[in-house]
Amino acid sequence: MRNIRLDKIRNIGIIAHIDAGKTTTTERILYYTGKTYKMGEVDEGTATMDWMIQEQERGITITAACTTCRWRDFNINIIDTPGHVDFTVEVERSLKVLDGAVVIFCGVGGVESQSETVWRQAERYNVPRIAFVNKLDRIGSDFLDVVKQMQEKLGANATPLQLPFGREENFKGIIDLIEEKLILYKDDLGKELELNKVPAEYQVEVNKYRNYLLERLADVDEKIMEKFLGAKEITGEEVKKAIRRTTIANRFVPVLCGSALRNKGIQLLLDAICDYLPSPEDLPPIKGSNPQSGEYEEILPRDEAPFCALCFKVAGDPYVGKLNYIRVYCGTLRTGSYVYNSRKREKERVIKLLKMHANHQEIIDEVSTGDIAAVVGLKETRTGDTLCEESYPILIEEIHFPEPVIQQAIEPLTKQDQEKLSLALHKLEEEDPTFKVSYNQDTGQTIISGMGQLHLEIAIDRIMREFKVAARIGLPQVAYRETITKKVISTGKFIQQTGGHGQYGHVVLEMEPQEVPGTGITFREKIKGGVIPREFIPAVKEGVFGAAKSGCLAGYPVTDVKVTLIDGSFHEVDSSEMSFQMAAAIAFNDGLKKAQPILLEPIMDIEIVVPQEYLGQIVGDLNVRRAKITAIGQRGNVRTVRAYVPLAEVFNYATTLRSLTQGRASYTMEPSYYQEVPLNIAQNIILVKVT
């Protein structure tokens, strides 16, 4: 039976730009909630949540780790996510199942490029957020400037609930604007807090920012507006209730401050998580569709309702095999019971249920509404699949993942490694939806694709170390795409006569470029009068998608094409699914050639942080690399350069940047969109690929 009320559950994610302090903050949360007895440190490789050997060696988070802790009488399920863009899949699938998020900003760096990315991801899933400005003990930190950046760059109604007491190395405590109290820390571990009156010299500033808080709240909350305009007294309790209402409605973003490394501000952050972020029952019901009728249904968070959960992550475990991480939206699931995978339409048995603490497992008997847990025993379930009761089937919308932009060849050194490599690649592909494996028929090579060089580097390291495969690795290559530029109608016929039954398939396809880039291949049919029987249409779709895996220019995958089946014919005896699949592939390939195909390349959004004296060299170098500079800004005593640059031009850019700036600049980069390759460069790429 449930041992905690649903309104006392918080499912939150810690998200941020790389190196903003996500894992350090999570470590402090675990320490203050009594989950761990000692604080782990990222730099020392002792962080609880960074359990993978690759994470400990590099001092970065690679995979999202789950844990559960208690604060006051609340149960907080936490997912600590990576900051590096190469592992953005972890943020994407975590936000899909979370009720709220803590977005961490560096007090010096402010709103950085990946901060914007994770913010947009949270917006897409309508996840309520609170912000925590970290590292206020560092030289150059500026709390109010970071709040201003949040308002300007993110368009957020970000408003401080606190002010730092002291700056940089003199950062000693926090002023609470709601209760008008000064919180000082009596010990280095930050466990003993002391409440004081606000010093007289700070009172004017406190009054100013408390009024500012009430103004911002009055803009989005009617109850506060009524009292504020009537000049009536507004109590601290009323302010807290208004903050909760508007935060859950995504109209307000509370901003807190602190220094996780110096153990300041974490208990207040925990209070804010409990006070302002939603429980599972505070949010609108999740929508799903009935796989039989196709009608939309609402999933209400009730224990007594039929069971429904989403598998948002698959991970391998050396002891129990495959772990499927699930978020339970309603109902109860017990060990030994059966679940129905409504996407695969298969029944599976739950052998074991686990509550996860990073890579440590606690066996539990059941999970209920709002819980996040891992399931052992599911053979066919993958990321994005819905688990439910067979008598009440429902489908939750799948998680959408970005397409890989970089690829590399890999081959086993010996025949004994061949089978081990195949198994390793299958497991990695199962765990990570942005890691793709394909086979090049022309070269006989196995190709792995991912989101960036670091992504593939980690995957290769795991293949060699975890799966003990000896392999030869090729150089990284850009994952180009092909598309069309004009609308065409193409016909495909597959006719084969043999001794017995023959084969007959005939389709007419209309092919045109997608209106919105990045949509991929879409298929629809406008068949009238039953010229093609309904049972053959899925085969036509399969033939189109199969043919789209290889274009006509250089064999790269085809994207952004709208395909419509408009006509065709069939034979009563000789038509089959295979014949229509082949006919569709013939029509698609013929259409590609007629529709003026072009080559596309991934364009990266790059942000470079560089000292003023090296700005000229950086801008000049970017111009040579076909970059389009969009902004040059100032951040503290350094300059920032934002640009769009083709991925092909910035392989191993870290080495170039170090040599240009004597190692004093840094950069972050993420895939943004695909763009046509200039003709002269495209001709060279096609020539190399064909030869």
Side-chain angles (χ1 to χ4, degrees):
M1 291 292 290
R2 174 182 293 284
N3 59 5
I4 189 162
R5 286 183 3 220
L6 195 57
D7 65 331
K8 296 293 183 182
I9 291 176
R10 299 289 181 270
N11 289 317
I12 66 154
I14 312 286
I15 60 175
H17 182 89
I18 190 169
D19 204 32
K22 295 179 299 302
T23 303
T24 304
T25 302
T26 309
E27 290 298 319
R28 270 53 183 177
I29 287 173
L30 297 179
Y31 177 74
Y32 293 126
T33 56
K35 189 72 181 182
T36 57
Y37 67 92
K38 186 185 176 189
M39 297 180 198
E41 301 295 347
V42 175
D43 295 341
E44 296 170 10
T46 57
T48 307
M49 304 301 275
D50 286 351
W51 57 270
M52 287 175 67
I53 188 73
Q54 290 84 359
E55 293 177 315
Q56 293 166 358
E57 288 175 350
R58 290 167 175 80
I60 61 169
T61 302
I62 292 169
T63 183
C66 303
T67 190
T68 302
C69 57
R70 296 292 294 267
W71 182 252
R72 295 175 4 204
D73 55 345
F74 289 82
N75 210 60
I76 306 175
N77 297 316
I78 301 172
I79 301 181
D80 177 32
T81 65
H84 201 288
V85 68
D86 283 19
F87 311 107
T88 190
V89 60
E90 298 290 343
V91 183
E92 191 78 27
R93 59 182 168 194
S94 300
L95 285 170
K96 172 76 175 175
V97 298
L98 291 170
D99 301 327
V102 177
V103 190
I104 299 180
F105 296 89
C106 172
V108 180
V111 177
E112 298 169 275
S113 59
Q114 189 65 7
S115 310
E116 294 182 52
T117 302
V118 297
W119 192 271
R120 285 196 302 269
Q121 287 173 301
E123 292 262 297
R124 193 158 59 245
Y125 292 112
N126 292 316
V127 177
R129 280 142 280 168
I130 59 178
F132 179 67
V133 180
N134 191 24
K135 302 189 178 184
L136 289 177
D137 59 310
R138 284 182 52 185
I139 294 170
S141 61
D142 190 333
F143 174 68
L144 293 174
D145 183 59
V146 177
V147 175
K148 187 180 175 186
Q149 287 181 45
M150 290 173 64
Q151 293 168 351
E152 292 175 353
K153 292 187 178 181
L154 305 175
N157 188 16
T159 309
L161 305 189
Q162 303 169 343
L163 292 176
F165 182 66
R167 286 192 64 174
E168 299 173 347
E169 69 271 14
N170 294 318
F171 176 56
K172 294 188 179 72
I174 292 164
I175 297 171
D176 180 353
L177 293 174
I178 299 172
E179 302 294 346
E180 296 188 66
K181 295 283 184 186
L182 168 63
I183 296 103
L184 291 175
Y185 292 84
K186 297 170 72 176
D187 62 329
D188 289 340
L189 283 174
K191 290 190 88 171
E192 295 183 42
L193 279 66
E194 186 179 86
L195 286 177
N196 297 280
K197 282 187 175 181
V198 175
E201 62 270 26
Y202 277 83
Q203 196 61 55
V204 173
E205 190 178 18
V206 168
N207 291 342
K208 174 187 170 184
Y209 283 102
R210 192 177 195 277
N211 278 333
Y212 178 68
L213 166 61
L214 295 176
E215 278 177 32
R216 302 281 289 199
L217 271 177
D219 287 341
V220 291
D221 188 85
E222 287 183 9
K223 289 183 180 178
I224 295 294
M225 180 189 281
E226 198 178 302
K227 285 206 159 191
F228 187 73
L229 294 177
K232 295 176 184 173
E233 186 189 348
I234 303 171
T235 65
E237 194 57 36
E238 287 173 321
V239 173
K240 285 182 178 180
K241 285 180 179 176
I243 292 171
R244 178 172 178 76
R245 283 194 300 270
T246 52
T247 301
I248 291 171
N250 266 318
R251 298 198 302 266
F252 187 83
V253 180
V255 186
L256 294 87
C257 63
S259 169
L261 191 64
R262 300 285 171 253
N263 311 317
K264 291 178 172 64
I266 304 302
Q267 294 98 323
L268 303 178
L269 174 62
L270 279 163
D271 286 337
I273 289 167
C274 299
D275 292 339
Y276 307 133
L277 288 180
S279 73
E281 63 184 8
D282 290 320
L283 295 171
I286 297 292
K287 287 187 178 177
S289 61
N290 187 309
Q292 290 158 359
S293 66
E295 291 180 6
Y296 277 97
E297 297 178 10
E298 288 190 341
I299 302 167
L300 297 170
R302 302 282 183 269
D303 285 347
E304 58 275 13
F307 176 76
C308 177
L310 181 73
C311 172
F312 67 94
K313 180 180 168 76
V314 177
D317 184 272
Y319 303 107
V320 298
K322 192 171 75 171
L323 295 174
N324 289 83
Y325 286 76
I326 63 166
R327 158 69 198 264
V328 182
Y329 287 107
C330 61
T332 300
L333 179 68
R334 293 178 179 84
T335 300
S337 59
Y338 285 86
V339 288
Y340 180 67
N341 184 327
S342 55
R343 194 170 305 282
K344 301 277 172 54
R345 306 202 172 201
E346 290 194 19
K347 208 171 177 181
E348 300 208 66
R349 186 167 182 264
V350 176
I351 294 172
K352 203 183 285 185
L353 289 168
L354 304 169
K355 192 170 278 295
M356 301 300 294
H357 177 49
N359 61 329
H360 299 291
Q361 304 166 358
E362 177 192 338
I363 298 173
I364 53 176
D365 295 326
E366 66 175 34
V367 287
S368 304
T369 309
D371 286 342
I372 292 175
V375 183
V376 178
L378 307 181
K379 293 183 174 64
E380 301 300 325
T381 303
R382 302 288 181 267
T383 300
D385 286 356
T386 305
L387 301 174
C388 55
E389 291 182 16
E390 192 171 8
S391 53
Y392 294 95
I394 194 159
L395 266 175
I396 298 172
E397 187 187 4
E398 279 189 271
I399 312 168
H400 296 288
F401 299 110
E403 284 295 311
V405 297
I406 190 170
Q407 58 190 35
Q408 217 163 346
I410 183 169
E411 54 189 51
L413 281 181
T414 66
K415 197 156 189 174
Q416 288 85 355
D417 288 309
Q418 177 71 55
E419 195 175 324
K420 287 199 289 183
L421 176 63
S422 178
L423 178 68
L425 292 175
H426 174 71
K427 285 194 172 179
L428 290 178
E429 197 173 21
E430 194 176 52
E431 289 179 20
D432 184 352
T434 58
F435 178 81
K436 305 284 188 189
V437 181
S438 58
Y439 184 73
N440 189 316
Q441 298 284 357
D442 300 329
T443 62
Q445 288 179 310
T446 299
I447 306 294
I448 56 174
S449 306
M451 298 306 297
Q453 284 176 275
L454 181 61
H455 188 197
L456 293 186
E457 183 188 312
I458 297 293
I460 290 163
D461 187 57
R462 286 188 64 193
I463 288 166
M464 292 179 169
R465 195 186 300 199
E466 199 176 306
F467 297 97
K468 297 180 172 50
V469 178
R472 189 181 292 110
I473 312 299
L475 290 172
Q477 304 285 325
V478 176
Y480 292 101
R481 295 283 184 270
E482 296 181 25
T483 193
I484 61 174
T485 56
K486 73 172 190 176
K487 184 175 178 178
V488 295
I489 291 175
S490 64
T491 302
K493 278 189 178 180
F494 182 70
I495 304 171
Q496 212 172 57
Q497 290 298 335
T498 54
H501 279 311
Q503 294 285 352
Y504 181 90
H506 169 219
V507 301
V508 181
L509 300 179
E510 181 184 83
M511 297 168 60
E512 58 186 310
Q514 292 280 17
E515 292 164 11
V516 181
T519 312
I521 304 287
T522 57
F523 176 85
R524 56 181 183 163
E525 53 89 13
K526 286 185 178 176
I527 292 294
K528 292 176 183 174
V531 291
I532 296 176
R534 306 301 303 176
E535 63 264 27
F536 294 137
I537 288 174
V540 176
K541 181 179 179 180
E542 199 175 327
V544 166
F545 279 85
K549 290 178 181 175
S550 178
C552 63
L553 289 175
Y556 288 108
V558 180
T559 189
D560 292 347
V561 179
K562 190 190 294 182
V563 181
T564 308
L565 174 63
I566 56 172
D567 202 0
S569 62
F570 74 104
H571 188 278
E572 290 284 356
V573 177
D574 292 347
S575 286
S576 66
E577 287 188 356
M578 192 197 86
S579 59
F580 273 100
Q581 196 173 326
M582 294 298 293
I586 292 165
F588 186 85
N589 288 326
D590 179 57
L592 274 184
K593 291 169 188 168
K594 295 193 296 187
Q596 295 176 357
I598 56 170
L599 205 60
L600 301 174
E601 63 181 342
I603 303 297
M604 311 301 283
D605 183 354
I606 190 169
E607 184 182 60
I608 303 164
V609 180
V610 58
Q612 172 69 46
E613 57 265 37
Y614 299 107
L615 182 64
Q617 291 98 305
I618 293 300
V619 170
D621 180 67
L622 284 174
N623 286 329
V624 172
R625 295 172 187 272
R626 299 192 282 132
K628 178 185 173 186
I629 295 171
T630 56
I632 297 176
Q634 186 91 30
R635 189 180 293 161
N637 58 353
V638 294
R639 302 302 297 271
T640 59
V641 181
R642 197 80 180 262
Y644 292 115
V645 60
L647 175 61
E649 302 288 346
V650 283
F651 270 130
N652 298 314
Y653 187 62
T655 308
T656 305
L657 196 63
R658 275 197 296 269
S659 62
L660 283 174
T661 63
Q662 297 181 9
R664 293 176 62 195
S666 63
Y667 78 100
T668 53
M669 186 167 66
E670 62 181 15
S672 185
Y673 59 93
Y674 271 84
Q675 178 180 283
E676 184 179 353
V677 181
L679 188 60
N680 60 323
I681 297 172
Q683 286 171 343
N684 289 334
I685 293 166
I686 294 166
L687 188 65
V688 169
K689 187 77 174 175
V690 171
T691 54

